[in-house]
Amino acid sequence: MKIYGDERSGNCLKVRWTCDFLGLGYEWVEVLALTGATDQDWFRALNPAGQVPCVQWPDGRVLAQSNAIIWHLAETSSLIPTDPFARAKMLEWLFWEQYSHEPYLAVRRARIHLMGLDPASLDPALLSRGLAALKVMDTTLNAQDWFSGADFGLADIALLPYTRFAPQGGYDLAAFPAVTRWIGACERHLRLQALVAATL
Ligand SMILES: N[C@@H](CCC(=O)N[C@@H](CS)C(=O)NCC(=O)O)C(=O)O
């Protein structure tokens, strides 16, 4: 299996971390977003949307959209519950991540950290809506340990990368202690080097 991804991208890291957690083998093919690389003809032939991540299996099948990819990779694993309602709750968080979390936290982080833009030049809604998303997460994590229900699971992997990178986007995680604790717990589960503690 080939993963076409940019290692600076949280959407791509979701795929890598899911594979690493499950012990799935892959070849990582670095395709840098923000450079026009995803707009090349050969890449659009794989993913017409011109975005990483996208995964290709040896038989030629291709799958894009980070949360669709990790869902497929994790089917029948401990990362996805078998109970139908618990599965739907997990999907609730995956859709929320793509509509109410990633568009603010990931975009502000990319503008500042990857593109070097002045925070003052950015749409203020990126900050306010990102903070609102972090508040939702913090409130949730005051009542439960994981977004995936009783145990660590796929919703945690989906929400982790851009939450973990939030300080690079100018979000102060000190205001969200439950989120900070959860990041540390996820890092231990995935055996990642602690990042947030180092950037706080
Ligand atoms: N909803 C998509 C978003 C993918 C996405 O936005 N990918 C970015 C990198 S994080 C990209 O490839 N952008 C292309 C470009 O900017 O050239 C997913 O979850 O996979």
Side-chain angles (χ1 to χ4, degrees):
M1 180 176 88
K2 285 184 180 172
I3 301 173
Y4 295 88
D6 179 333
E7 63 181 10
R8 305 165 309 168
S9 152
N11 286 318
C12 298
L13 289 175
K14 292 175 200 175
V15 178
R16 174 180 272 178
W17 293 344
T18 300
C19 286
D20 290 346
F21 185 81
L22 295 174
L24 304 174
Y26 57 87
E27 176 190 347
W28 183 270
V29 182
E30 187 75 6
V31 180
L32 285 180
L34 304 174
T35 63
T38 53
D39 196 31
Q40 299 173 93
D41 289 346
W42 71 267
F43 187 77
R44 282 207 184 257
L46 283 175
N47 180 11
Q51 291 179 326
V52 283
C54 103
V55 168
Q56 186 174 37
W57 280 269
D59 64 8
R61 290 175 304 149
V62 176
L63 190 60
Q65 290 295 326
S66 58
N67 288 349
I69 296 169
I70 61 175
W71 186 272
H72 180 63
L73 294 173
E75 274 283 20
T76 73
S77 81
S78 64
L79 291 173
I80 300 179
T82 51
D83 172 71
F85 186 74
R87 288 164 69 85
K89 283 305 280 184
M90 187 168 281
L91 285 172
E92 178 183 314
W93 283 114
L94 298 192
F95 287 118
W96 181 81
E97 185 266 343
Q98 284 286 290
Y99 191 76
S100 301
H101 179 279
E102 191 256 20
Y104 308 113
L105 290 152
V107 170
R108 196 166 200 271
R109 178 253 182 176
R111 301 265 200 277
I112 295 171
H113 184 70
L114 302 180
M115 299 166 71
L117 299 183
D118 179 356
S121 71
L122 302 178
D123 178 357
L126 291 177
L127 183 60
S128 60
R129 292 186 181 174
L131 290 170
L134 290 168
K135 180 75 187 150
V136 169
M137 294 178 71
D138 209 61
T139 302
T140 302
L141 291 167
N142 275 319
Q144 62 192 63
D145 289 339
W146 306 108
F147 289 99
S148 305
D151 297 308
F152 174 80
L154 206 66
D156 301 288
I157 294 181
L159 282 162
L160 181 62
Y162 289 120
T163 309
R164 192 169 177 254
F165 288 147
Q168 297 176 347
Y171 300 94
D172 183 2
L173 288 181
F176 306 102
V179 169
T180 305
R181 273 197 309 276
W182 166 82
I183 290 172
C186 290
E187 286 171 341
R188 286 190 290 282
H189 240 79
L190 292 170
R191 299 175 194 276
L192 304 175
Q193 190 187 351
L195 179 70
V196 166
T199 53
L200 278 177

